Amino acid sequence: MKHELPRLPYAEDALEPVISRQTVAFHWGKHAQTYIDKLNELLGEKASEERTLEEIVKESDGALFNNASQTWNHIFYFFSFSPERKKEPEGALRKAIEQRWNTFEQFQQEFVGSGVAQFGSGWVWLVKDNEGKLDIIKTGNAGNPLTEGLTPLLTFDVWEHAYYLDYQNRRADYLHELWKIVDWSVVEKRYL
Ligand code: MN
């Protein structure tokens, strides 16, 4: 089975001005595409086996892990956004966030702070453990919480390629702006 990027559920310019059409074109169309092309190349004949992308992420290391995980991470990131979005979490997820961080705003602040604090390339994540407890973690390079037995709920990409065209070196500004396009109905579904 050759792995393929799904079609984005919105137009290339739908996330403007938070993420420009040009950044979506490069970040999804070139960077994410290159990871999945490289993944298929590395799998070679094994591409016909019935392992899912998630299974490869959990079971591999080296270049195979890097390209499989970067593919998974980018799909997860881009599918967290929508121009017709739910603006804030409700219900069980809202309650869990407020139990952990007191307020939704405090959670957002700590999430951005972790993304800013990640040295070099990587990702900041909202995750759930086996007992349903929430946490914010950061991973370097292609790192993925699935390999630590955690359930990812939301991620922001802090590789420079994610924001340099629109924000240059201003990573914190980019991370703050992303709250304007997160679709919390997607995150709620991941939580349940
Ligand atoms: Mn990226």
Side-chain angles (χ1 to χ4, degrees):
M1 173 184 73
K2 197 167 169 258
H3 293 273
E4 284 176 24
L5 285 184
R7 272 187 74 88
L8 288 181
Y10 44 78
E12 261 188 357
D13 62 358
L15 305 179
E16 291 193 334
V18 177
I19 302 178
S20 68
R21 187 202 60 75
Q22 193 190 18
T23 289
V24 174
F26 275 92
H27 194 188
W28 181 253
K30 305 284 185 199
H31 288 276
Q33 188 64 50
T34 301
Y35 292 125
I36 202 165
D37 288 346
K38 186 74 185 165
L39 169 68
N40 283 318
E41 193 188 311
L42 288 166
L43 286 171
E45 286 168 16
K46 281 193 275 176
S48 59
E49 72 175 76
E50 292 300 311
R51 265 204 300 180
T52 64
L53 189 56
E54 187 170 323
E55 284 165 344
I56 299 169
V57 169
K58 287 179 180 170
E59 296 163 4
S60 65
D61 53 21
L64 185 57
F65 170 79
N66 285 337
N67 288 282
S69 192
Q70 281 294 81
T71 299
W72 194 97
N73 293 355
H74 281 90
I75 294 169
F76 195 77
Y77 169 79
F78 276 102
F79 277 74
S80 303
F81 304 131
S82 173
E84 288 118 30
R85 71 205 190 90
K86 181 172 185 175
K87 291 179 178 152
E88 290 193 12
E90 290 179 328
L93 176 60
R94 178 84 186 203
K95 208 173 147 192
I97 287 174
E98 289 176 350
Q99 264 168 7
R100 177 72 175 76
W101 291 281
N102 292 320
T103 64
F104 178 54
E105 291 70 28
Q106 182 66 24
F107 154 73
Q108 289 178 299
Q109 207 174 319
E110 285 193 29
F111 193 88
V112 168
S114 283
V116 170
Q118 168 58 30
F119 186 80
S121 296
W123 303 80
V124 55
W125 305 83
L126 171 64
V127 294
K128 181 181 82 161
D129 71 12
N130 284 337
E131 281 144 25
K133 210 171 140 262
L134 300 182
D135 205 0
I136 295 168
I137 65 165
K138 43 192 166 46
T139 60
N141 300 318
N144 189 312
L146 290 171
T147 63
E148 296 164 47
L150 298 166
T151 303
L153 303 178
L154 177 69
T155 193
F156 287 177
D157 187 343
V158 300
W159 284 60
E160 280 189 349
H161 69 225
Y163 57 89
Y164 216 83
L165 289 174
D166 299 330
Y167 299 88
Q168 292 76 52
N169 62 323
R170 292 174 289 114
R171 186 192 284 186
D173 291 353
Y174 151 75
L175 292 172
H176 277 293
E177 288 299 300
L178 287 185
W179 294 125
K180 297 178 182 169
I181 54 172
V182 172
D183 183 353
W184 283 95
S185 68
V186 173
V187 187
E188 284 173 359
K189 281 189 203 117
R190 292 167 177 168
Y191 176 71
L192 294 173

